[in-house]
Amino acid sequence: MLTTINVKTLRQELGHIVERVGKGEGFMVLYRSRPAFRIVPIDGSLALGPVEDDPLYQADAVGRSTDSRSAADHDQLLYGSPKAEG
């Protein structure tokens, strides 16, 4: 499970957050009210769940691609194909 915080909180409580991550907790960091990045334990002990449930995966586009690829192409490169259910 990820705790959602904003960049201001991250700056103010960085030491405390680092300690919590060391104990296995994870954070989703918002910048200007949009998911920007995650902070997770380096050992990968945090179970993040399916990529489709990730708010960063579902976020709207914030810019334009300059490499002539579509958003779906970029998703494929970043995340791979979602697993078929069944």
Side-chain angles (χ1 to χ4, degrees):
M1 182 67 155
L2 296 173
T3 301
T4 302
I5 60 173
N6 60 31
V7 171
K8 181 178 179 181
T9 301
L10 177 63
R11 285 188 199 126
Q12 291 175 340
E13 301 179 20
L14 182 60
H16 182 63
I17 290 169
V18 169
E19 288 176 14
R20 290 171 63 183
V21 171
K23 294 177 182 176
E25 203 169 334
F27 295 86
M28 171 67 69
V29 182
L30 303 178
Y31 179 71
R32 295 184 178 177
S33 301
R34 292 183 172 260
F37 57 93
R38 293 182 292 208
I39 301 173
V40 296
I42 197 163
D43 64 4
S45 62
L46 183 65
L48 296 176
V51 70
E52 294 83 8
D53 295 340
D54 184 342
L56 189 56
Y57 179 80
Q58 297 176 3
D60 293 331
V62 293
R64 298 224 179 255
S65 174
T66 59
D67 63 5
S68 72
R69 291 186 174 144
S70 69
D73 293 336
H74 285 277
D75 287 348
Q76 173 64 33
L77 289 169
L78 291 169
Y79 301 105
S81 295
K83 293 181 181 178
E85 298 201 19

